[in-house]
Structures are given as C-alpha cells and as structure tokens.
Amino acid sequence: MSPQHILIIEDEAAIREMLRMALTKAEFVVSEAANVQQARTSLFNHLPELILLDWMLPETSGLDLARQLKNDPQMKHIPIILLTARGEEGDKVRGFDVGVDDYVTKPFSIRELVARIKAVLRRVSPHFDHDFLVIKDLHLDIAEHRVKVGETEVHLGPTEFRLLQFFMQHPEKVYTRTQVLDLVWGSNVYIEERTVDVHIRRLRKALEVHGYDSFVQTVRGVGYRFTTGQLTTG
Ligand code: CA
C-alpha cells in the first residue's frame, strides 16, 4: 500500500525537523510548511492524509487555520492533529469545537504522537491502515500478529505467519524456494530449501480448515505462488 502523506505546519524549524525525521522513520511521507501561506501552497499541490498543525503560528494561528480548513468542502475530510504548548481544558474544547480530530500537548513523546496519528488515520480510513492485509475473508493484522477468516482466528506459528504475510503482500507472483528463503528468512541465514516446503505444508494445513489452502499453489519446477484465482495445477 502506498505510504501516507502528512503535512507538518510548524514555524519552529527545530521542531519541524524533529517531526520530519521521526515521521519519515515511521514510514510516512512528509511535507513541511513554516506558516499558513506555505501550508496553503502545499495543500493546493497535494492533499495529505493528515495534517499536524501547530497552534502557535505567526500571523494566522493554527486554530484559525483549522477552522478554515474544516469549513472548506475540499479540505474538511483531512484529519487534523493540533500541537500546542497549552494544556488548559478550555483550549482543548476550543480545538475540538473547530473540528480538529485530536490534540497533542508539547512536550510530547514521538512514540505517543505516532500512536495518535495512526489511531486517527485508522478511525477516518480503516482501509488505509497499512498494518492490515485483507484478501477476501482472510485478514492479517501485522501489528497484532493475528490472522482471521471472517471472525474465526487462524492459529499460525511465527514462521507460517511471516510466510503468509509475505504472500499476501505479493499475491499472484511466482517465487522460487531460494527467493522465499531470502525474502522471508533473510539472505544471511543458512537454511535448506526443503525447510520452505515444510513451512508451506504447515501453512496450508492451517488454512485448509477454512478452505483457503488452495491459495498457496505449487508451481511445478519453479516454486510457489499465492493466488486468489481458481486453482490451476502447475
Ligand atoms: Ca509554533
């Protein structure tokens, strides 16, 4: 899934830099604005999935900008997290009144901020959540390390989980045993190729109960493929 885009609007260069580094590390694509004018230019060029907005900005305040954006039919669906040094309840209420989606008080921990960002993104657009893979009724939650078919949990060992995650991220492509080893186990680990077969068998067995075993296909003479199409024996 394509990375999510966050616009940081903050006049303090050091904080902006820190946020850019942290969010890039968390695999977001980041653009920056030091004031409302730059923010408007950035929004004109590209609509982000989320805006991180500082309350205290020169000239127009973050709160005023938030109010304007939430009244703009083109912008109002973009979630806003307001950053502020103020912690008074009254200010929080004013922020929520304007329609901001969440509120983080400085100083904040990066961990907490990233968690809040992910929570807001999950709330507004669950299908954008890249911690989650879905193929038909098969749901794989990367963060929680759980697999479900509908509401029924599929119990997998850690290796089978990684295998399934890899296959769901790369459906309809054929991989040789060597490629699967390199991509799932890592190229610096020495494991015999038949080990792949053993784990594929276990994965199929776990999926068989739910009728999904035929998704893991053997491509004779080549390797394996994860396919959601009809079974065609190779
Ligand atoms: Ca500021």
Side-chain angles (χ1 to χ4, degrees):
M1 237 164 257
S2 60
Q4 290 163 303
H5 185 141
I6 296 179
L7 170 62
I8 301 169
I9 310 172
E10 159 69 84
D11 58 313
E12 277 169 78
I15 296 176
R16 217 166 52 232
E17 172 75 6
M18 181 268 283
L19 288 170
R20 184 178 59 77
M21 286 174 62
L23 296 181
T24 306
K25 204 172 158 218
E27 293 184 354
F28 292 106
V29 172
V30 170
S31 37
E32 299 170 44
N35 54 48
V36 169
Q37 200 184 347
Q38 284 180 15
R40 291 220 168 269
T41 307
S42 177
L43 287 165
F44 181 77
N45 291 324
H46 183 90
L47 294 183
E49 267 80 42
L50 184 141
I51 297 172
L52 211 51
L53 175 61
D54 187 34
W55 182 306
M56 298 297 279
L57 293 171
E59 295 156 30
T60 313
S61 77
L63 189 69
D64 287 337
L65 178 62
R67 186 180 294 117
Q68 290 163 19
L69 294 176
K70 289 297 181 187
N71 282 319
D72 181 330
Q74 249 207 306
M75 308 285 177
K76 66 179 184 190
H77 68 279
I78 305 171
I80 297 176
I81 296 181
L82 203 57
L83 295 177
T84 179
R86 313 174 186 207
E88 290 100 29
E89 285 305 307
D91 287 341
K92 282 192 194 181
V93 170
R94 280 168 68 200
F96 286 125
D97 276 350
V98 160
V100 303
D101 300 81
D102 205 354
Y103 191 105
V104 176
T105 307
K106 293 177 184 174
F108 49 83
S109 83
I110 285 296
R111 252 179 110 109
E112 188 203 346
L113 180 68
V114 170
R116 296 279 195 99
I117 288 173
K118 287 187 173 171
V120 168
L121 287 171
R122 238 189 327 261
R123 203 163 68 218
V124 296
S125 54
H127 57 288
F128 272 135
D129 190 352
H130 61 275
D131 288 342
F132 210 65
L133 299 167
V134 181
I135 292 181
K136 296 197 174 169
D137 279 339
L138 194 59
H139 292 240
L140 185 145
D141 188 326
I142 298 173
E144 287 188 13
H145 239 258
R146 283 156 80 113
V147 177
K148 281 182 176 180
V149 172
E151 289 304 306
T152 316
E153 184 137 13
V154 181
H155 296 282
L156 296 177
T159 306
E160 287 71 38
F161 182 90
R162 291 212 314 276
L163 256 180
L164 183 61
Q165 179 181 336
F166 169 75
F167 280 136
M168 288 179 77
Q169 283 167 328
H170 306 88
E172 311 300 338
K173 285 185 193 149
V174 181
Y175 291 93
T176 65
R177 285 170 181 75
T178 314
Q179 285 172 324
V180 174
L181 270 180
D182 285 354
L183 296 165
V184 177
W185 276 261
S187 51
N188 51 355
V189 180
Y190 181 75
I191 293 170
E192 284 180 61
E193 285 192 3
R194 58 171 204 86
T195 308
V196 177
D197 302 337
V198 171
H199 289 284
I200 291 273
R201 264 203 303 278
R202 285 187 197 157
L203 176 60
R204 276 199 186 122
K205 211 171 162 62
L207 293 176
E208 194 179 5
V209 194
H210 309 278
Y212 278 75
D213 52 312
S214 63
F215 280 25
V216 185
Q217 287 187 359
T218 303
V219 180
R220 196 172 296 161
V222 187
Y224 295 103
R225 169 175 57 202
F226 189 79
T227 182
T228 57
Q230 287 302 303
L231 182 71
T232 48
T233 42

